[in-house]
Amino acid sequence: MATRAVTPRPLPRIIMLGLVPVASWFIVRPFLDPVPALPGLFISIGFSIFSLLATLYLVPALGPTFIQAHLSGRDLLKVYSTPIPESLGLVCASVYILALILFIPFAFSDSLTIRSTPTPEGISVPEFPHSRLSVYLSSLLSLLMATILGFLDDVFDIRWRHKLPIPIVASIPLLMVYFAERGNTHIVVPLPLRFLLGSLVNLGPLYYLYMSLLSTFATNSINILAGINGSEVSQALIIAISVILNDLLYLPWPVGFHLPVHLLGSKAEVEFGGVWSAGMAHGSKELVERHLFSLYFMLPLVAVCAGFMYHNWYPARAFPGDTLCYVTGMAFAVVGIQAHFSKTLLLFFLPQIFNFVLSCPQLFGLVPCPRHRVPRFDMDTNLLHPSKAQFMKPPASLTVIVLRIFSTLKLVDLTVHPSSGVILETTNLTILNFLLILMCCQVRNEFFLSCSAGLTIILGKQIGGSILAFTVRYGLAGLVYDR
Amino acid sequence: MATRAVTPRPLPRIIMLGLVPVASWFIVRPFLDPVPALPGLFISIGFSIFSLLATLYLVPALGPTFIQAHLSGRDLLKVYSTPIPESLGLVCASVYILALILFIPFAFSDSLTIRSTPTPEGISVPEFPHSRLSVYLSSLLSLLMATILGFLDDVFDIRWRHKLPIPIVASIPLLMVYFAERGNTHIVVPLPLRFLLGSLVNLGPLYYLYMSLLSTFATNSINILAGINGSEVSQALIIAISVILNDLLYLPWPVGFHLPVHLLGSKAEVEFGGVWSAGMAHGSKELVERHLFSLYFMLPLVAVCAGFMYHNWYPARAFPGDTLCYVTGMAFAVVGIQAHFSKTLLLFFLPQIFNFVLSCPQLFGLVPCPRHRVPRFDMDTNLLHPSKAQFMKPPASLTVIVLRIFSTLKLVDLTVHPSSGVILETTNLTILNFLLILMCCQVRNEFFLSCSAGLTIILGKQIGGSILAFTVRYGLAGLVYDR
C-alpha cells in the first residue's frame, strides 16, 4: 500500500490523444468560413482542452522534481506515510496563466474581427475593444502575483498573520488599473432602501476596499476548507462551473427557451438564448462582453482544476499547496470585479460563507483552535470522525451560549461532563465536521464515511450551494432588484 | 572570520531616515502648484528612493528566512564556509515590481494631467495616453514571469538546456501584446545598404524572433558573467545608469548645451536639453514619451540594484541567485523593445557581447568547459588567479588555431608542453580571466588582485564599455544612420 501512493495515476492515453484533434479543431474553426458568432469563445475552448491535457500530463511528470526540492507533504488522512509532492497547484497556475497569455492575440487583435462579418440578425459582438486589453492584463498580473505569493507561502511557510494581506497585495494591480481607467464605483441600491439612498450610490474609496476584501475572502474561504484529498480543487471546480453556467445565460444563442422562474416569485422570466435578445443580456453588448470576459477566464480554470483533480482524487498522488487556493480565489475575484457580478459570485460561495460564519468562534478565540481542524481518520475502521477541540478550563459564559445554540441547531456535537454539565469538548466548527454530524444522525447514528465519501460530501454540498445560488439569483433577487 | 559573513552589514540609520522626507517630497511635489513639466518623473524618483530603502532594509531582514527554506549558498571565493542566503534577487524583484505597480495610477490616470497646465513654451507632455497602459502592463507581466521563472530556477535548480528558453517564455506577454496592438515591425536600414533594401524594411515575424532573442541575450549575458561578489548586480547597475543617461538626452530640459560630437565624425551636434527641442527628441512627443517610459522602468531598477549591492559587496552578505539576472535582463529587454532603442541598448552590452564571443569556443565544445569558470581564489595569498581548463587529450587542430589566435591577442594564457608544444591547459575563456591576464601582464607580471579589486575591474570595464557605447551611438552612428 505504501507504494500505491507514490505511483502516479495512469493516464488514459487514447482519451488524451483523442482530445488533441478536438482542441485543434476549436482553435482552427474561427479561421474558416462561415465565421462563428463568437470566434474567441471557440479558441478559448480549444486552449482550455490543451490546458487540461497539459495539467494531466505535467502534474505526475513534475512530481519527483517537487519532492527533490523539499516540497512534499504527508497525508494526514492516510495510513501510509510516503512523501507526496506538495505545491503542485503551481503547475496548474502556470498552465492556466500561460493559456490566458497565449490567448491575448486571439481575443484582442483585429485578425479575427476583420474576418467575422456581421451576423445577419442579432447583436454582433466584435470581441473586445482594445481598451479592455489593459483590464485583461491587470487581471493576469493579479493572477500571476497570487501565484508567486502562493508559491512563496509554500516555500517559506508564511505565518498566518502575515498570510492574510497576501490576497490584498495580489489584488493591487487590479485596483490600480481600475483606478487609472476611472472604473465605476457606483452600486445599485436594493429596492427597499431606495427611498433612503436613491437608486445608485457612489461608494468611492469604499468600493476599492470592497474589491480587495472580495479577493481576500475568495482566496481564504477556499483555503480554510481544506484537509481532505481534493477538497480545495473540487470547491474551485464547482464554483467555476457555476460561474460558466451563469455566463452562458448572457450569450447570444441560436436557440432560445424560458425557465419558469415566476414559480419562484420572480416577475420576469429567465430567457435563455435567442440571438436578438442575447439571453439575459437583453441585447446589451456591454453585458455580453463582460460575460465573455468571465468565460475566457473560467474555461481554462475548469480545465486545469479538472486535470489536477484527476491526480488529487482520493488517494491523492499530488497536493495542491496554497498556490492553487490563491490562484483560483483570485480568478474568481477577478471575474466578479471585472465582469461586475460580484453579488452573484458571492452566492456561489454560500458553503464557504456558511463555513466562515461557523468558524468565527474559533477564528476569534472564543473556542480553542487547534492547528488542524480536518476530520480525524480512524486507521482501524478506515472511517472519518469529526475532529474535536478540548477545553483546558471551563469555557466562558459567552462561549457556552454560542455552543449551546450551535448544538441545538445540530451544528456541533458537545461532550459534556456527566454530573456538572460543563462543556469538555466540542467538534471543530467547520462545515466538514458539521456534515459528518448531520449524516451520522440522519442515517445510521454511526460514523460510516470513508475518505472518498468525504470528498463526495464536499462536492455535493458545493453543487447544492450552487443550485441554491441560482434559485436566489434568478428567483428571489427579483424581489429586491429591478432585474 | 566565520561569523563576519553572516552578520548583516549595518545600515546607516541617519541616511535611511533622512531619505524618507526626500522621497516623500518627490511624490508630493507634482500635486503642488506650479506643477512641474514632467510630474510623473518626480513621482518615479520618489518611488525609486523608497525602493532603495525597502531593499536596503528587507535583504538582511529576510536573509534568515531564505536560509531556513534551504536557499543558501557557500561562497566559492571565500575562506569561511558559513551559509549565505541565496536567491535574494527575489526581494529586489518584488520591491521593483511592486513599485512599478503602485506607480500605475500616477502615470496613467487623469488626476495628474488635468492639473498640469500646458507649459508656456516647449512641447507639453501630457504623460501617457491610456493606450500605453497595456504596453506598460505587458512589460510588468514579462518582468513578473521572469521573476517567478528565476525563482523556480533557484528552487528547482533547472538544468542548463531547460534554462535557455526561460527568457523566451517570460517575453511571451510582451510579444503577444505587441502583436495585439499591431506593433511596428519595420527597421531602419543603415545608409550603406539603402540602395539594396530601401530606407525601411518590414521584418514581420523575424522582428518577434529578434525581440525574444534580445530578452534571451540580455538575461543570459548577465548570468554568464557571474561568480564574483557583486558581479551580476554591478553589471545591471551600470547598464541601467547608462540607459538613464541616454534617456535624459531626450527629455525637455529648462537649460540646454551642445556636445561637440562633430569631433568624433558626426555631422549633427548632440543637443542636450532646451524645452522646445526636447534635446535629442527634436520636438517629437513620441520620442519623449518613449524615453519617459524607459526612465520609469530604469529608475527603480537602479534603486533596487544599488540597495542590493550594498549587501552583495565583497564580502557578500547575500547572493542574488538567478532571479536577479532574469529580472534585470528582462527589464533591459523591455525598455529596449518598448522604447525602441534596442540597438543603443546592445551597445551598453558591449562587455557582455565581448564575453559571449570569447566564451563561444567553450560554449560550443571546442574547449572543455568546467562547471564553474570563475577566477580561482588562493586562500594563502588572498589573491585571484585566472581559472584554467585542462585538455585530457591533445586538442583538435581547429581548437589549436583558435587558441593560438586568442593567445596572440593576449585573450588567454596557454600552458604548453615544454618539449612537444602540445597545449595542456588554457585559462577559461571569460572576460574576467582575460582582464586578470591583462592586468598582470601590464602591471607587475604577478596576480595581485584581491577579490574586492576583482569587482572593481568589473565595474571599471562596464563603465568603460558604456563610455565607448555613447561614443559609438552619438559619434560613429552618424556615419551609417541619418541621425
Side-chain angles (χ1 to χ4, degrees):
Chain A
M1 191 154 182
T3 50
R4 199 182 62 176
V6 280
T7 314
R9 196 157 280 155
L11 295 173
R13 268 215 158 167
I14 298 169
I15 296 178
M16 291 197 67
L17 289 177
L19 280 177
V20 171
V22 176
S24 311
W25 182 83
F26 272 107
I27 292 178
V28 172
R29 177 65 191 82
F31 296 96
L32 307 174
D33 279 321
V35 177
L38 299 169
L41 196 56
F42 276 73
I43 293 173
S44 180
I45 294 172
F47 273 134
S48 300
I49 298 174
F50 276 124
S51 307
L52 170 71
L53 295 177
T55 315
L56 278 173
Y57 174 76
L58 285 175
V59 167
L62 294 175
T65 317
F66 277 69
I67 293 180
Q68 269 173 31
H70 308 280
L71 289 167
S72 61
R74 211 177 56 76
D75 201 325
L76 284 174
L77 299 178
K78 294 295 147 2
V79 282
Y80 41 77
S81 60
T82 40
I84 296 175
E86 174 72 273
S87 310
L88 275 161
L90 178 69
V91 176
C92 305
S94 308
V95 171
Y96 176 53
I97 291 172
L98 207 59
L100 287 174
I101 288 175
L102 290 174
F103 182 60
I104 292 174
F106 298 99
F108 295 99
S109 81
D110 307 334
S111 53
L112 277 176
T113 43
I114 285 172
R115 287 182 53 86
S116 71
T117 46
T119 43
E121 63 151 350
I123 58 168
S124 76
V125 185
E127 295 296 300
F128 286 121
H130 278 214
S131 68
R132 295 226 99 187
L133 178 54
S134 44
V135 173
Y136 188 92
L137 291 173
S138 71
S139 309
L140 276 179
L141 266 178
S142 279
L143 287 173
L144 207 47
M145 285 189 75
T147 306
I148 200 168
L149 290 169
F151 186 63
L152 290 182
D153 189 358
D154 283 336
V155 172
F156 294 115
D157 212 1
I158 300 172
R159 260 170 293 169
W160 180 249
R161 63 196 170 92
H162 292 149
K163 254 181 185 179
L164 264 184
I166 284 183
I168 298 180
V169 173
S171 66
I172 289 177
L174 218 61
L175 305 186
M176 292 292 128
V177 173
Y178 202 86
F179 178 77
E181 296 271 2
R182 309 202 144 257
N184 189 6
T185 55
H186 290 78
I187 57 159
V188 179
V189 178
L191 291 174
L193 294 175
R194 290 216 178 147
F195 73 98
L196 209 66
L197 301 165
S199 60
L200 278 179
V201 164
N202 187 4
L203 286 184
L206 284 181
Y207 197 83
Y208 289 88
L209 185 68
Y210 168 69
M211 288 192 285
S212 59
L213 288 182
L214 185 70
S215 56
T216 311
F217 169 75
T219 302
N220 284 311
S221 65
I222 293 178
N223 208 351
I224 222 174
L225 226 166
I228 290 189
N229 289 170
S231 63
E232 297 98 334
V233 71
S234 62
Q235 294 174 70
L237 187 67
I238 304 291
I239 296 174
I241 291 175
S242 308
V243 172
I244 287 177
L245 288 178
N246 184 53
D247 289 332
L248 290 180
L249 294 178
Y250 293 83
L251 292 194
W253 290 96
V255 291
F257 62 88
H258 291 220
L259 297 179
V261 283
H262 63 272
L263 301 176
L264 292 165
S266 173
K267 282 170 204 151
E269 300 282 291
V270 169
E271 294 164 278
F272 178 75
V275 244
W276 274 101
S277 62
M280 292 290 293
H282 296 288
S284 155
K285 254 190 189 178
E286 176 79 16
L287 271 179
V288 176
E289 267 177 9
R290 284 178 183 173
H291 286 278
L292 267 180
F293 180 92
S294 165
L295 276 175
Y296 292 164
F297 276 86
M298 285 297 118
L299 286 172
L301 189 69
V302 164
V304 294
C305 283
F308 185 70
M309 204 168 171
Y310 181 77
H311 300 288
N312 188 221
W313 192 270
Y314 175 85
R317 263 69 166 181
F319 290 145
D322 289 326
T323 320
L324 190 81
C325 300
Y326 282 114
V327 172
T328 52
M330 187 50 72
F332 294 131
V334 157
V335 296
I337 290 169
Q338 306 282 32
H340 297 272
F341 57 82
S342 54
K343 289 195 299 293
T344 310
L345 180 74
L346 282 176
L347 285 176
F348 296 132
F349 275 86
L350 277 182
Q352 281 72 25
I353 294 174
F354 178 78
N355 186 54
F356 175 74
V357 173
L358 190 62
S359 300
C360 276
Q362 283 194 309
L363 293 181
F364 295 113
L366 279 181
V367 174
C369 187
R371 176 89 177 81
H372 289 284
R373 305 191 300 160
V374 292
R376 192 170 53 80
F377 177 65
D378 189 332
M379 289 197 189
D380 300 329
T381 57
N382 217 23
L383 294 180
L384 274 179
H385 300 262
S387 62
K388 301 202 168 184
Q390 290 182 329
F391 288 96
M392 292 299 134
K393 51 185 182 184
S397 53
L398 179 61
T399 309
V400 172
I401 295 170
V402 170
L403 286 180
R404 289 285 177 202
I405 295 172
F406 278 13
S407 176
T408 313
L409 297 170
K410 304 245 181 254
L411 297 173
V412 294
D413 193 18
L414 300 179
T415 312
V416 180
H417 194 277
S419 55
S420 67
V422 172
I423 298 174
L424 299 175
E425 282 185 333
T426 171
T427 52
N428 280 310
L429 303 168
T430 70
I431 196 169
L432 290 183
N433 287 326
F434 157 66
L435 287 171
L436 283 173
I437 297 166
L438 196 73
M439 306 284 279
C440 82
C441 298
Q442 287 186 340
V443 192
R444 284 201 312 180
N445 206 20
E446 184 185 17
F447 301 120
F448 70 100
L449 299 157
S450 79
C451 288
S452 188
L455 180 57
T456 318
I457 310 179
I458 298 192
L459 275 174
K461 71 124 196 6
Q462 194 74 41
I463 293 172
S466 284
I467 293 171
L468 181 62
F470 273 107
T471 314
V472 172
R473 171 66 183 85
Y474 294 104
L476 307 179
L479 301 177
V480 283
Y481 284 104
D482 287 351
R483 62 164 191 192
Chain B
M1 190 154 182
T3 50
R4 198 182 63 177
V6 281
T7 314
R9 196 157 280 155
L11 295 173
R13 269 214 156 167
I14 298 169
I15 295 178
M16 291 197 68
L17 289 176
L19 280 177
V20 171
V22 175
S24 311
W25 182 83
F26 272 107
I27 292 178
V28 172
R29 177 64 190 82
F31 296 96
L32 307 173
D33 280 321
V35 177
L38 299 170
L41 195 56
F42 276 73
I43 293 173
S44 180
I45 293 173
F47 273 134
S48 300
I49 298 175
F50 276 124
S51 307
L52 170 71
L53 295 177
T55 314
L56 277 174
Y57 174 76
L58 285 176
V59 167
L62 293 175
T65 318
F66 277 69
I67 293 179
Q68 270 173 31
H70 308 280
L71 289 167
S72 61
R74 211 177 56 75
D75 201 325
L76 284 174
L77 298 178
K78 294 295 148 359
V79 282
Y80 42 78
S81 60
T82 40
I84 297 175
E86 174 72 273
S87 310
L88 276 161
L90 177 68
V91 176
C92 305
S94 308
V95 171
Y96 176 53
I97 291 172
L98 207 59
L100 287 174
I101 288 174
L102 290 174
F103 182 61
I104 292 174
F106 298 99
F108 296 99
S109 81
D110 307 334
S111 53
L112 277 176
T113 43
I114 284 172
R115 287 182 53 87
S116 71
T117 46
T119 43
E121 63 150 349
I123 59 167
S124 75
V125 184
E127 295 296 299
F128 286 122
H130 278 213
S131 68
R132 295 226 99 186
L133 178 54
S134 44
V135 173
Y136 188 91
L137 290 173
S138 71
S139 309
L140 276 179
L141 266 177
S142 279
L143 286 174
L144 207 48
M145 285 189 76
T147 306
I148 200 167
L149 290 169
F151 186 63
L152 290 182
D153 189 358
D154 283 337
V155 172
F156 293 115
D157 212 1
I158 300 171
R159 260 170 293 168
W160 180 249
R161 64 197 170 92
H162 293 149
K163 254 182 184 180
L164 264 184
I166 284 182
I168 297 180
V169 172
S171 65
I172 289 177
L174 218 60
L175 306 186
M176 291 293 128
V177 173
Y178 202 86
F179 178 78
E181 296 270 2
R182 309 202 144 256
N184 189 5
T185 55
H186 290 78
I187 57 160
V188 179
V189 178
L191 291 175
L193 294 176
R194 290 217 178 145
F195 74 97
L196 209 66
L197 301 165
S199 60
L200 279 179
V201 164
N202 187 5
L203 287 184
L206 284 181
Y207 197 83
Y208 290 88
L209 185 69
Y210 168 68
M211 288 192 285
S212 59
L213 288 182
L214 185 70
S215 56
T216 311
F217 169 76
T219 303
N220 284 311
S221 65
I222 293 178
N223 208 351
I224 222 175
L225 226 166
I228 289 189
N229 289 171
S231 63
E232 297 98 334
V233 71
S234 62
Q235 294 174 68
L237 188 67
I238 304 291
I239 295 174
I241 291 175
S242 308
V243 172
I244 287 177
L245 288 178
N246 184 53
D247 289 332
L248 291 179
L249 294 178
Y250 292 84
L251 293 194
W253 290 96
V255 291
F257 62 88
H258 290 221
L259 296 179
V261 283
H262 63 272
L263 302 176
L264 291 165
S266 173
K267 282 170 203 150
E269 300 282 291
V270 170
E271 293 165 278
F272 178 74
V275 244
W276 275 102
S277 63
M280 292 290 294
H282 296 288
S284 154
K285 254 190 188 179
E286 177 78 16
L287 271 178
V288 176
E289 267 177 8
R290 284 179 184 174
H291 286 278
L292 267 180
F293 181 92
S294 165
L295 276 175
Y296 292 164
F297 275 87
M298 286 297 118
L299 287 172
L301 188 69
V302 164
V304 294
C305 283
F308 184 71
M309 203 169 171
Y310 182 77
H311 300 288
N312 188 221
W313 192 269
Y314 175 85
R317 263 69 166 182
F319 290 145
D322 289 326
T323 320
L324 190 81
C325 299
Y326 282 115
V327 172
T328 52
M330 187 51 72
F332 295 131
V334 157
V335 296
I337 291 169
Q338 307 281 33
H340 296 272
F341 57 81
S342 54
K343 288 195 299 293
T344 310
L345 180 74
L346 282 176
L347 285 176
F348 296 132
F349 275 85
L350 277 182
Q352 281 72 25
I353 294 174
F354 178 77
N355 186 55
F356 175 74
V357 173
L358 190 62
S359 300
C360 276
Q362 283 195 308
L363 294 181
F364 295 113
L366 278 181
V367 175
C369 187
R371 176 90 178 81
H372 289 285
R373 305 191 300 160
V374 293
R376 191 170 53 80
F377 177 65
D378 188 332
M379 289 196 188
D380 300 328
T381 57
N382 218 24
L383 295 180
L384 275 179
H385 300 262
S387 62
K388 301 203 169 184
Q390 290 182 328
F391 288 95
M392 292 300 134
K393 51 185 182 182
S397 53
L398 179 60
T399 309
V400 172
I401 295 170
V402 170
L403 286 179
R404 289 285 177 201
I405 295 172
F406 278 13
S407 176
T408 313
L409 297 171
K410 304 246 181 253
L411 297 173
V412 294
D413 193 18
L414 299 179
T415 312
V416 180
H417 194 279
S419 55
S420 67
V422 172
I423 298 174
L424 299 175
E425 282 184 334
T426 171
T427 52
N428 280 310
L429 303 168
T430 70
I431 196 169
L432 290 183
N433 288 326
F434 157 67
L435 287 171
L436 284 173
I437 297 167
L438 196 73
M439 307 283 279
C440 82
C441 297
Q442 288 185 341
V443 192
R444 285 202 312 182
N445 207 20
E446 185 184 17
F447 301 121
F448 70 100
L449 299 158
S450 79
C451 288
S452 187
L455 179 57
T456 318
I457 309 179
I458 298 192
L459 274 174
K461 70 122 194 13
Q462 194 74 43
I463 293 172
S466 285
I467 293 171
L468 181 62
F470 273 107
T471 314
V472 172
R473 171 66 183 82
Y474 295 104
L476 307 180
L479 300 177
V480 283
Y481 285 104
D482 287 352
R483 63 166 188 190

